[in-house]
Each structure stands twice: as C-alpha cells, then as structure tokens.
Amino acid sequence: MRLALAAALVALLSSCATGRNPLAKWERSRNFNERQPMLIVLHYTTEESAEKSLHTLKTANSKGPVGVHYLLGRDGRIYQLVKDGKRAWHAGPGRWGTITDVNSASIGIEIDNSGHDPFPDVQIDSLIVLLRDLTTRLRIPPTQVIGHEDMAPTRKIDPGPLFPWKRLFDAGFGVWPDESAGDPPPGFDPWLAMQAFGYPLEDRAAAVRAFHHRFRGMDGTELDEHDLRILYALTRPPQPEPAPPAAEPAGLQPQQENIVE
C-alpha cells in the first residue's frame, strides 16, 4: 500500500514538473512556443466531435496550424495538448485592453460545441474545475477569463450567445454587472467604458455584438439604455463597504418606558 502511494505521488510530482496537468489526458501538439500566461481565452470548436478537434489541433490544416492548451469534450473530459508554460496558437490577431499579443499572454481552452447547441452541465462543471486549477496554480486573476470574440470581435463569435457566463461568474470566474449599480451619471460615455473594460473599438458594431453575446445572450450591434447600465456597473470605481453600526457601550441597557395599567 505504501509503495503504491509513493509511486502515485512520484507520478503526480513528475507530471507537475514537466508542465503537464494531472487533471487532463496528455495529447501532445507541436503548435506552440514560449510565453507568460495572465489571461484565459475560451473558444468553441465548431467541429463534430472532440476526436476530430484533437486531430485538427495536433496537425496542420488548410488554414494553417492551430494550437490550444486544453480541449473540453462534451462529456466533460479534459485534454491537454500544449504545456501551460508554452505559447499556443489559438487567439490570432486581436487584443484585450493593453494586451496586444494575446497568444503570449494567455491560456487557450477549446470547448467541444457547434456554436448552436447549449453547453452541457457536465462540460461547464469540468470547465470550472479546470479554471479553478489554472487560476490558482498559474496565479491568473479569476476575473481574467474572456471569450475569443471579446478580443477579436471583427473575426470571431465564439463562445457565442449561448455560453453561460453568469454561471461561470457565480462559480468565481470572469465578471458580471452588479444589478444594484443603477443608472449611469450624466455625461457617461459608453465607448470609453467599453474601451476601459477591454474591448477593441476599431469596429464598434462588432464590439457591441461581442458585448451583447457575453452580457445579454443576444445579437445586436447598437447600444441601448440597458447596455449603458451594464457598462456603468462593469466600470464604476469600487464602492466602499458600509460602516458597521456603532456598538452599545458595555454595561448600559436601553431604558424601558414606564407602563401604567
């Protein structure tokens, strides 16, 4: 029993030392180089199965080689194709805030989904487990989880309007607007807010579509009043915590009124 436990511990430490994640089945891809992760980018595959996606992600294809760190099957299985410390070719041209080379700064996760189907619960549960591992082990801020279309709205629409961003937020990842923020103040500029949040604005209609997919689960390329409230909630300064009520002085009891019957 002790020998088996020791062997398991050695195997786990060995996998960590080589950059392989013990949560995932190792599927090596050659499509990577060195980089530093501080962002996680979510994609969907648009292919028929995880097996077909694995083939595409491990080999060259008609549009050039595409690499990604992880692939999530519909059944929740996690595959790792590129070590966490390597630069996979998943994001392409685009930017998020001041990050202009997203491949160098991110972990890429492909989710086995056509783009037209709901994401199974088991798949999202597995994604949450993987995000918890990555943000803890690689010290990536949990808020720094975005979609491919967020950083490349003129080219991409994944993970699309069906992706459950609110569920991810409830599990501690990504961001979601505070409904109690209220209306924006006079003079509020939604375009400055979108830019401050991270969206590139070279094509404003495309940026709004990506914003709608993420925060409203719908299409549309024009901002409305509800969008302004969302953007204000996402970008307003942190609010101070309310002060706790003053404690009653020790030994003093509240006075009671005299009751005459």
Side-chain angles (χ1 to χ4, degrees):
M1 181 66 180
R2 290 181 179 178
L3 290 176
L5 182 59
L9 181 59
V10 169
L12 179 60
L13 292 174
S14 176
S15 66
C16 292
T18 60
R20 298 182 187 180
N21 192 328
L23 291 175
K25 179 178 181 294
W26 175 248
E27 292 279 357
R28 187 179 187 279
S29 173
R30 63 173 180 265
N31 303 333
F32 65 85
N33 58 7
E34 300 291 340
R35 72 338 151 347
Q36 293 293 323
M38 56 183 177
L39 187 67
I40 296 174
V41 182
L42 305 182
H43 311 251
Y44 59 49
T45 60
T46 71
E47 296 200 279
E48 299 170 2
S49 66
E51 289 72 23
K52 188 170 183 179
S53 296
L54 282 172
H55 176 75
T56 299
L57 294 166
K58 291 166 62 178
T59 61
N61 59 77
S62 60
K63 296 182 180 180
V66 178
V68 74
H69 298 90
Y70 295 91
L71 170 68
L72 285 178
R74 285 180 174 88
D75 59 359
R77 181 173 299 183
I78 304 172
Y79 302 88
Q80 185 178 11
L81 296 94
V82 176
K83 295 178 182 179
D84 295 335
K86 302 296 183 180
R87 181 183 186 273
W89 306 332
H90 64 96
R95 62 183 173 85
W96 183 247
T98 59
I99 301 173
T100 55
D101 183 358
V102 178
N103 280 339
S104 293
S106 66
I107 293 282
I109 301 175
E110 285 278 1
I111 304 172
D112 183 22
N113 186 279
S114 68
H116 305 289
D117 302 318
F119 294 79
D121 287 343
V122 66
Q123 193 176 45
I124 299 302
D125 289 342
S126 186
L127 174 61
I128 290 169
V129 170
L130 180 58
L131 290 176
R132 187 171 295 121
D133 167 71
L134 292 172
T135 55
T136 301
R137 186 164 44 81
L138 303 180
R139 299 182 181 179
I140 299 173
T143 56
Q144 293 293 84
V145 181
I146 66 169
H148 198 186
E149 65 179 330
D150 290 326
M151 48 84 44
T154 61
R155 301 186 301 108
K156 298 295 180 179
I157 61 170
D158 56 319
L162 298 179
F163 186 78
W165 285 105
K166 178 62 164 59
R167 181 175 171 190
L168 234 61
F169 175 76
D170 290 340
F173 303 101
V175 295
W176 197 255
D178 179 3
E179 295 181 0
S180 68
D183 294 328
F188 178 76
D189 188 333
W191 299 112
L192 285 178
M194 286 196 72
Q195 189 174 47
F197 184 67
Y199 284 104
L201 296 181
E202 288 80 5
D203 185 328
R204 292 189 174 189
V208 172
R209 183 187 63 227
F211 170 83
H212 279 165
H213 282 180
R214 178 163 178 175
F215 293 106
R216 299 187 66 180
M218 68 179 204
D219 286 313
T221 57
E222 295 184 1
L223 294 173
D224 61 22
E225 293 299 319
H226 187 49
D227 294 326
L228 268 60
R229 288 191 290 271
I230 293 173
L231 285 166
Y232 172 60
L234 291 172
T235 57
R236 69 174 181 160
Q239 303 301 298
E241 294 290 335
E248 291 287 342
L252 294 182
Q253 299 295 328
Q255 294 182 351
Q256 295 182 350
E257 295 182 0
N258 293 326
I259 300 176
V260 179
E261 296 184 355

